[in-house]
Amino acid sequence: MKVLVIGCGSIGRRHLKNLAELGISGRAACDLSAARLEQVRAECGVEALHTDLDAALAEGPDAAIVCPVTSAHVPVARRALDAGCHLMVEKPISHTEAGVEALVRDAAAARRVFMVAYSMRFHPGVNRVSGMLKDGRIGRPLSARACCGQYLPDWHPWEDYRDFYMSREADGGGAVLDISHEIDTLRRCFGEVRQVAAMVSHLSDLEIDTDDCSELILRFDSGVVASCHLDLVQRAYRRTLEVFGTEGTILWDYVSQSIQLYTVATGQWELVRHDFDRNRLYRDEAACFLAACRGEGSPPVDGADGLRTLRVVLAAKRASREGRTVEP
Ligand SMILES: NC(=O)c1ccc[n+]([C@@H]2O[C@H](COP(=O)([O-])OP(=O)(O)OC[C@H]3O[C@@H](n4cnc5c(N)ncnc54)[C@H](O)[C@@H]3O)[C@@H](O)[C@H]2O)c1
């Protein structure tokens, strides 16, 4: 199978290395920057390098991994789809709804795989939490709280954060859009979102034109009410998920790689540890995509699902602007 990676920043190069580990010999890379492609040659050992997407697509890749800056996802994915590629598009699917529905529809009509790379779907801790909920370990979930934060200048220490797409609204940056993993996880656990209230704010001194501290309150069709805190300001990386049910509580913590589970049935807290290797997440994700391209299984998040998460993000921004609760 020939796989083209489009956009060779930090995540694109990680995908290229993982493709090699997964036995893909037909790797190609495309980036607007020739200097970036030299880095790809040196770091990832890829020789098929293109600054021109048409030339890259003319080589006939079977699949494309689309990971340029977020605002370029849809136009780049459109060209790869029109060239006949299966698609894995990095999350979030885009920064606006423009062109997304048509892309999803046309990929389905062309019988191409369309996966959105919400990598937390492959996290062993989140998978355990999801399993506990499915098994009814804490009865009926009533309420939940998701949190993720990290100081933006620490994300890409090799570059000035003001030059990073994350600092610019027009490029698809900002906390609520970029850290939409948490919204995807809440949707995975509790179903579709019915109502959104939010304060999407810029509170720090960071020189960015996006939100850096956002608070969302989500009511789901299932009746669950969840809050979601997403920020670019916490000096120590933190990511947690807490779920409160009729028969117990689940507290997951990314950093300590552990889940605390309280159930009425046992009357005590149980500590469940899980191993975690960050790159494994991305390798498992790529393996899942390659399998789907071979017709073995389907992706956990497809284009339509990625669009539903984007609609929650956009609803949060609207709710915040208009100071009212809105529907996604
Ligand atoms: N799933 C995850 O956990 C995860 C992790 C990191 C990044 N991402 C997503 O991946 C995307 C890229 O993030 P990053 O951190 O690698 O960014 P980055 O800034 O490090 O790299 C982006 C690269 O895209 C290139 N580029 C920009 N426009 C292009 C175009 N039209 N065609 C080809 N190349 C283009 C740039 O030259 C740059 O090399 C973002 O959408 C981000 O949200 C997802």
Side-chain angles (χ1 to χ4, degrees):
M1 194 187 301
K2 286 203 237 174
V3 183
L4 171 66
V5 173
I6 310 167
C8 302
S10 67
I11 196 71
R13 296 197 308 284
R14 187 188 286 278
H15 288 315
L16 282 164
K17 290 175 203 162
N18 284 334
L19 289 172
E21 281 185 30
L22 292 165
I24 299 294
S25 50
R27 295 176 302 154
C30 174
D31 198 289
L32 296 178
S33 154
R36 187 42 56 84
L37 290 172
E38 277 315 309
Q39 193 180 356
V40 168
R41 188 196 306 276
E43 254 182 49
C44 313
V46 176
E47 293 299 330
L49 304 169
H50 303 270
T51 48
D52 177 32
L53 182 54
D54 288 332
L57 292 170
E59 301 289 323
D62 304 291
I65 298 185
V66 176
C67 40
V69 297
T70 298
S71 55
H73 286 184
V74 168
V76 163
R78 162 56 67 187
R79 286 167 71 189
L81 176 66
D82 290 349
C85 294
H86 295 293
L87 299 174
M88 181 167 97
V89 177
E90 263 305 341
K91 52 50 62 182
I93 193 167
S94 188
H95 60 320
T96 70
E97 278 197 55
V100 178
E101 209 164 33
L103 187 68
V104 172
R105 190 188 54 230
D106 293 350
R111 298 180 165 277
R112 297 293 88 182
V113 172
F114 191 155
M115 174 163 166
V116 181
Y118 274 106
S119 44
M120 294 301 287
R121 292 276 180 155
F122 298 87
H123 192 291
V126 179
N127 290 344
R128 289 290 283 273
V129 172
S130 169
M132 287 173 179
L133 291 171
K134 281 206 181 80
D135 294 343
R137 298 291 300 278
I138 61 164
R140 182 165 63 89
L142 301 172
S143 180
R145 189 179 292 162
C147 166
C148 183
Q150 185 185 18
Y151 187 51
L152 183 62
D154 293 343
W155 285 39
H156 281 188
W158 55 88
E159 64 182 329
D160 186 327
Y161 75 89
R162 288 165 293 201
D163 300 331
F164 184 19
Y165 79 89
M166 274 297 292
S167 302
R168 290 184 294 271
E169 186 87 19
D171 286 348
V176 70
L177 178 63
D178 199 79
I179 321 178
S180 52
H181 288 285
E182 276 27 60
I183 297 171
D184 174 66
T185 296
L186 291 168
R187 287 188 50 248
R188 171 187 183 179
C189 292
F190 308 119
E192 293 312 326
V193 175
R194 180 178 296 182
Q195 281 179 298
V196 183
M199 290 202 183
V200 174
S201 313
H202 181 171
L203 302 180
S204 76
D205 295 331
L206 287 170
E207 294 174 42
I208 62 179
D209 74 4
T210 68
D211 61 307
D212 59 12
C213 275
S214 290
E215 300 289 341
L216 282 59
I217 300 179
L218 309 174
R219 184 189 295 280
F220 291 79
D221 284 339
S222 58
V224 170
V225 174
S227 63
C228 184
H229 169 97
L230 305 170
D231 79 61
L232 307 180
V233 301
Q234 288 187 68
R235 300 309 296 252
Y237 178 81
R238 229 160 62 78
R239 185 164 232 160
T240 55
L241 175 62
E242 305 176 339
V243 189
F244 316 116
T246 52
E247 305 291 325
T249 297
I250 298 171
L251 308 176
W252 170 67
D253 180 23
Y254 179 104
V255 174
S256 65
Q257 305 184 12
S258 64
I259 298 168
Q260 293 177 71
L261 170 68
Y262 179 88
T263 59
V264 171
T266 62
Q268 52 195 356
W269 287 98
E270 183 188 336
L271 183 65
V272 182
R273 293 202 178 276
H274 57 78
D275 286 336
F276 176 59
D277 162 8
R278 180 151 181 256
N279 192 56
R280 177 88 194 269
L281 211 78
Y282 298 105
R283 208 174 55 230
D284 289 352
E285 176 182 77
C288 173
F289 173 58
L290 296 174
C293 294
R294 289 191 300 263
E296 298 158 12
S298 44
V301 181
D302 62 14
D305 212 1
L307 175 56
R308 286 192 281 274
T309 290
L310 174 63
R311 285 185 172 137
V312 176
V313 169
L314 298 176
K317 292 188 177 190
R318 203 165 67 242
S320 179
R321 252 190 337 265
E322 298 175 6
R324 63 188 184 92
T325 301
V326 305
E327 290 173 16

